[in-house]
Tab-separated table of all heavy atoms in Angstrom:
chain	number	residue	atom	x	y	z
A	1	VAL	N	1.588	2.085	-4.496
A	1	VAL	CA	1.525	1.538	-3.148
A	1	VAL	C	0.206	0.714	-3.044
A	1	VAL	O	-0.875	1.256	-3.184
A	1	VAL	CB	1.551	2.655	-2.083
A	1	VAL	CG1	1.318	2.054	-0.673
A	1	VAL	CG2	2.832	3.440	-2.147
A	2	TYR	N	0.347	-0.596	-2.872
A	2	TYR	CA	-0.830	-1.435	-2.771
A	2	TYR	C	-1.626	-1.044	-1.531
A	2	TYR	O	-1.104	-0.962	-0.438
A	2	TYR	CB	-0.432	-2.912	-2.612
A	2	TYR	CG	0.560	-3.463	-3.594
A	2	TYR	CD1	1.506	-4.416	-3.178
A	2	TYR	CD2	0.597	-3.038	-4.931
A	2	TYR	CE1	2.419	-4.967	-4.098
A	2	TYR	CE2	1.518	-3.569	-5.834
A	2	TYR	CZ	2.410	-4.532	-5.419
A	2	TYR	OH	3.315	-5.025	-6.277
A	3	ARG	N	-2.927	-0.869	-1.741
A	3	ARG	CA	-3.785	-0.526	-0.602
A	3	ARG	C	-4.729	-1.660	-0.227
A	3	ARG	O	-5.109	-1.790	0.928
A	3	ARG	CB	-4.598	0.727	-0.930
A	3	ARG	CG	-3.757	2.014	-1.033
A	3	ARG	CD	-4.584	3.152	-1.596
A	3	ARG	NE	-3.901	4.431	-1.492
A	3	ARG	CZ	-2.965	4.872	-2.347
A	3	ARG	NH1	-2.622	4.135	-3.369
A	3	ARG	NH2	-2.399	6.048	-2.214
A	4	THR	N	-5.101	-2.467	-1.191
A	4	THR	CA	-6.084	-3.551	-0.967
A	4	THR	C	-5.525	-4.892	-1.468
A	4	THR	O	-4.602	-4.915	-2.269
A	4	THR	CB	-7.390	-3.240	-1.683
A	4	THR	OG1	-7.178	-3.291	-3.110
A	4	THR	CG2	-7.938	-1.890	-1.329
A	5	ALA	N	-6.137	-5.939	-1.032
A	5	ALA	CA	-5.740	-7.301	-1.445
A	5	ALA	C	-5.930	-7.484	-2.956
A	5	ALA	O	-5.161	-8.180	-3.610
A	5	ALA	CB	-6.526	-8.336	-0.674
A	6	GLU	N	-6.948	-6.790	-3.492
A	6	GLU	CA	-7.219	-6.926	-4.937
A	6	GLU	C	-6.051	-6.399	-5.774
A	6	GLU	O	-5.858	-6.819	-6.898
A	6	GLU	CB	-8.509	-6.207	-5.301
A	6	GLU	CG	-9.793	-6.876	-4.813
A	6	GLU	CD	-9.937	-6.802	-3.288
A	6	GLU	OE1	-9.432	-5.837	-2.662
A	6	GLU	OE2	-10.558	-7.752	-2.711
A	7	GLN	N	-5.298	-5.458	-5.260
A	7	GLN	CA	-4.160	-4.893	-5.959
A	7	GLN	C	-2.913	-5.721	-5.746
A	7	GLN	O	-1.862	-5.445	-6.339
A	7	GLN	CB	-3.873	-3.474	-5.448
A	7	GLN	CG	-4.962	-2.476	-5.745
A	7	GLN	CD	-4.650	-1.113	-5.120
A	7	GLN	OE1	-4.445	-1.009	-3.910
A	7	GLN	NE2	-4.652	-0.079	-5.949
A	8	CYS	N	-3.017	-6.797	-4.982
A	8	CYS	CA	-1.834	-7.496	-4.478
A	8	CYS	C	-2.009	-9.011	-4.476
A	8	CYS	O	-1.755	-9.679	-3.487
A	8	CYS	CB	-1.597	-6.984	-3.030
A	8	CYS	SG	-0.123	-7.510	-2.182
A	9	TRP	N	-2.502	-9.548	-5.612
A	9	TRP	CA	-2.688	-10.964	-5.797
A	9	TRP	C	-3.585	-11.609	-4.723
A	9	TRP	O	-3.451	-12.807	-4.403
A	9	TRP	CB	-1.342	-11.737	-5.827
A	9	TRP	CG	-0.387	-11.194	-6.829
A	9	TRP	CD1	-0.360	-11.400	-8.178
A	9	TRP	CD2	0.683	-10.297	-6.539
A	9	TRP	NE1	0.667	-10.712	-8.753
A	9	TRP	CE2	1.318	-10.001	-7.777
A	9	TRP	CE3	1.196	-9.705	-5.396
A	9	TRP	CZ2	2.418	-9.182	-7.901
A	9	TRP	CZ3	2.287	-8.860	-5.506
A	9	TRP	CH2	2.894	-8.616	-6.708
A	10	GLY	N	-4.479	-10.821	-4.146
A	10	GLY	CA	-5.364	-11.354	-3.110
A	10	GLY	C	-4.714	-11.468	-1.762
A	10	GLY	O	-5.323	-11.961	-0.808
A	11	LEU	N	-3.484	-11.022	-1.619
A	11	LEU	CA	-2.745	-11.118	-0.331
A	11	LEU	C	-3.157	-9.987	0.583
A	11	LEU	O	-3.308	-8.849	0.146
A	11	LEU	CB	-1.244	-11.064	-0.588
A	11	LEU	CG	-0.672	-12.199	-1.477
A	11	LEU	CD1	0.758	-11.889	-1.802
A	11	LEU	CD2	-0.835	-13.542	-0.769
A	12	GLU	N	-3.299	-10.284	1.843
A	12	GLU	CA	-3.615	-9.259	2.845
A	12	GLU	C	-2.287	-8.662	3.337
A	12	GLU	O	-1.644	-9.173	4.232
A	12	GLU	CB	-4.383	-9.907	4.008
A	12	GLU	CG	-5.781	-10.387	3.636
A	12	GLU	CD	-6.705	-9.252	3.223
A	12	GLU	OE1	-6.445	-8.074	3.602
A	12	GLU	OE2	-7.719	-9.576	2.586
A	13	LEU	N	-1.906	-7.588	2.711
A	13	LEU	CA	-0.591	-6.994	2.956
A	13	LEU	C	-0.524	-6.252	4.276
A	13	LEU	O	0.472	-6.330	4.975
A	13	LEU	CB	-0.237	-6.040	1.767
A	13	LEU	CG	1.054	-5.255	1.918
A	13	LEU	CD1	2.262	-6.139	2.129
A	13	LEU	CD2	1.251	-4.371	0.678
A	14	TRP	N	-1.581	-5.481	4.613
A	14	TRP	CA	-1.535	-4.585	5.745
A	14	TRP	C	-2.438	-5.031	6.870
A	14	TRP	O	-3.483	-5.652	6.614
A	14	TRP	CB	-1.989	-3.180	5.328
A	14	TRP	CG	-1.235	-2.628	4.158
A	14	TRP	CD1	-1.691	-2.536	2.858
A	14	TRP	CD2	0.095	-2.087	4.122
A	14	TRP	NE1	-0.743	-1.967	2.081
A	14	TRP	CE2	0.372	-1.676	2.809
A	14	TRP	CE3	1.073	-1.875	5.134
A	14	TRP	CZ2	1.604	-1.087	2.434
A	14	TRP	CZ3	2.278	-1.334	4.746
A	14	TRP	CH2	2.534	-0.932	3.450
A	15	HIS	N	-2.109	-4.693	8.093
A	15	HIS	CA	-3.022	-4.886	9.226
A	15	HIS	C	-4.281	-4.025	9.003
A	15	HIS	O	-5.396	-4.423	9.349
A	15	HIS	CB	-2.343	-4.526	10.536
A	15	HIS	CG	-1.245	-5.472	10.901
A	15	HIS	ND1	-1.467	-6.810	11.212
A	15	HIS	CD2	0.105	-5.281	11.029
A	15	HIS	CE1	-0.308	-7.384	11.491
A	15	HIS	NE2	0.653	-6.502	11.395
A	16	GLU	N	-4.066	-2.836	8.462
A	16	GLU	CA	-5.181	-1.961	8.058
A	16	GLU	C	-4.673	-1.112	6.905
A	16	GLU	O	-3.431	-0.993	6.730
A	16	GLU	CB	-5.654	-1.122	9.206
A	16	GLU	CG	-4.601	-0.227	9.852
A	16	GLU	CD	-5.093	0.507	11.070
A	16	GLU	OE1	-5.969	-0.075	11.800
A	16	GLU	OE2	-4.670	1.622	11.298
A	17	GLU	N	-5.551	-0.528	6.148
A	17	GLU	CA	-5.136	0.210	4.979
A	17	GLU	C	-4.095	1.285	5.355
A	17	GLU	O	-4.243	1.974	6.366
A	17	GLU	CB	-6.328	0.880	4.334
A	17	GLU	CG	-6.018	1.497	2.964
A	17	GLU	CD	-7.249	1.912	2.154
A	17	GLU	OE1	-8.295	1.280	2.375
A	17	GLU	OE2	-7.109	2.820	1.335
A	18	PRO	N	-3.004	1.379	4.571
A	18	PRO	CA	-1.888	2.289	4.963
A	18	PRO	C	-2.362	3.725	5.036
A	18	PRO	O	-3.189	4.203	4.260
A	18	PRO	CB	-0.889	2.090	3.855
A	18	PRO	CG	-1.680	1.589	2.676
A	18	PRO	CD	-2.739	0.715	3.272
A	19	ASN	N	-1.772	4.466	6.017
A	19	ASN	CA	-2.142	5.852	6.188
A	19	ASN	C	-1.384	6.710	5.194
A	19	ASN	O	-0.542	6.226	4.422
A	19	ASN	CB	-1.896	6.321	7.624
A	19	ASN	CG	-0.417	6.168	8.023
A	19	ASN	OD1	0.506	6.317	7.219
A	19	ASN	ND2	-0.175	5.896	9.308
A	20	ASP	N	-1.728	7.980	5.155
A	20	ASP	CA	-1.149	8.907	4.161
A	20	ASP	C	0.391	8.980	4.292
A	20	ASP	O	1.080	9.076	3.282
A	20	ASP	CB	-1.735	10.293	4.315
A	20	ASP	CG	-3.209	10.371	3.925
A	20	ASP	OD1	-3.672	9.405	3.240
A	20	ASP	OD2	-3.859	11.379	4.244
A	21	ALA	N	0.881	8.926	5.483
A	21	ALA	CA	2.366	9.027	5.659
A	21	ALA	C	3.062	7.840	5.047
A	21	ALA	O	4.111	8.026	4.382
A	21	ALA	CB	2.664	9.125	7.160
A	22	LEU	N	2.518	6.624	5.199
A	22	LEU	CA	3.118	5.461	4.575
A	22	LEU	C	3.047	5.528	3.069
A	22	LEU	O	4.006	5.215	2.380
A	22	LEU	CB	2.416	4.174	5.059
A	22	LEU	CG	2.882	3.625	6.411
A	22	LEU	CD1	2.072	2.338	6.740
A	22	LEU	CD2	4.367	3.308	6.426
A	23	VAL	N	1.935	5.959	2.553
A	23	VAL	CA	1.784	6.097	1.084
A	23	VAL	C	2.772	7.101	0.551
A	23	VAL	O	3.420	6.868	-0.458
A	23	VAL	CB	0.314	6.473	0.761
A	23	VAL	CG1	0.221	6.783	-0.763
A	23	VAL	CG2	-0.639	5.355	1.111
A	24	GLU	N	2.837	8.226	1.180
A	24	GLU	CA	3.760	9.276	0.697
A	24	GLU	C	5.227	8.861	0.778
A	24	GLU	O	6.021	9.204	-0.111
A	24	GLU	CB	3.547	10.611	1.477
A	24	GLU	CG	2.212	11.279	1.172
A	24	GLU	CD	2.049	11.558	-0.305
A	24	GLU	OE1	3.010	12.051	-0.969
A	24	GLU	OE2	0.961	11.273	-0.855
A	25	ALA	N	5.561	8.096	1.816
A	25	ALA	CA	6.934	7.553	1.882
A	25	ALA	C	7.265	6.635	0.727
A	25	ALA	O	8.347	6.654	0.162
A	25	ALA	CB	7.120	6.838	3.248
A	26	GLY	N	6.287	5.793	0.391
A	26	GLY	CA	6.471	4.917	-0.732
A	26	GLY	C	6.590	5.679	-2.045
A	26	GLY	O	7.432	5.396	-2.894
A	27	LEU	N	5.723	6.658	-2.196
A	27	LEU	CA	5.737	7.453	-3.429
A	27	LEU	C	7.000	8.282	-3.603
A	27	LEU	O	7.410	8.579	-4.724
A	27	LEU	CB	4.487	8.344	-3.510
A	27	LEU	CG	3.160	7.582	-3.611
A	27	LEU	CD1	1.996	8.581	-3.702
A	27	LEU	CD2	3.131	6.639	-4.808
A	28	ALA	N	7.641	8.637	-2.498
A	28	ALA	CA	8.905	9.323	-2.555
A	28	ALA	C	9.959	8.458	-3.263
A	28	ALA	O	10.796	8.957	-4.027
A	28	ALA	CB	9.389	9.739	-1.180
A	29	ILE	N	9.936	7.156	-3.007
A	29	ILE	CA	10.833	6.225	-3.654
A	29	ILE	C	10.496	6.175	-5.118
A	29	ILE	O	11.363	6.173	-5.999
A	29	ILE	CB	10.761	4.818	-2.988
A	29	ILE	CG1	11.168	4.900	-1.508
A	29	ILE	CG2	11.633	3.847	-3.741
A	29	ILE	CD1	10.957	3.613	-0.762
A	30	HIS	N	9.205	6.064	-5.457
A	30	HIS	CA	8.784	6.003	-6.849
A	30	HIS	C	9.250	7.254	-7.612
A	30	HIS	O	9.836	7.161	-8.711
A	30	HIS	CB	7.228	5.900	-6.874
A	30	HIS	CG	6.659	5.512	-8.181
A	30	HIS	ND1	6.425	6.423	-9.199
A	30	HIS	CD2	6.206	4.315	-8.680
A	30	HIS	CE1	5.857	5.802	-10.219
A	30	HIS	NE2	5.717	4.520	-9.941
A	31	ASP	N	9.072	8.417	-7.034
A	31	ASP	CA	9.451	9.675	-7.678
A	31	ASP	C	10.959	9.688	-7.873
A	31	ASP	O	11.462	10.114	-8.935
A	31	ASP	CB	9.018	10.862	-6.824
A	31	ASP	CG	7.490	11.035	-6.781
A	31	ASP	OD1	6.800	10.423	-7.589
A	31	ASP	OD2	7.031	11.776	-5.897
């Protein structure tokens, strides 16, 4: 789950860094 622009081709993906719930939801797909 990209958290910063540096992880994402310099793109500003989020309005603010994703919270734990968003990260865990993404990781559930990964798992």
Side-chain angles (χ1 to χ4, degrees):
V1 176
Y2 310 146
R3 291 170 171 83
T4 66
E6 288 71 30
Q7 294 175 305
C8 187
W9 306 281
L11 299 171
E12 294 294 341
L13 175 57
W14 307 104
H15 292 296
E16 57 186 34
E17 189 168 332
N19 60 33
D20 291 346
L22 278 180
V23 172
E24 290 305 315
L27 294 182
I29 299 173
H30 194 278
D31 293 345

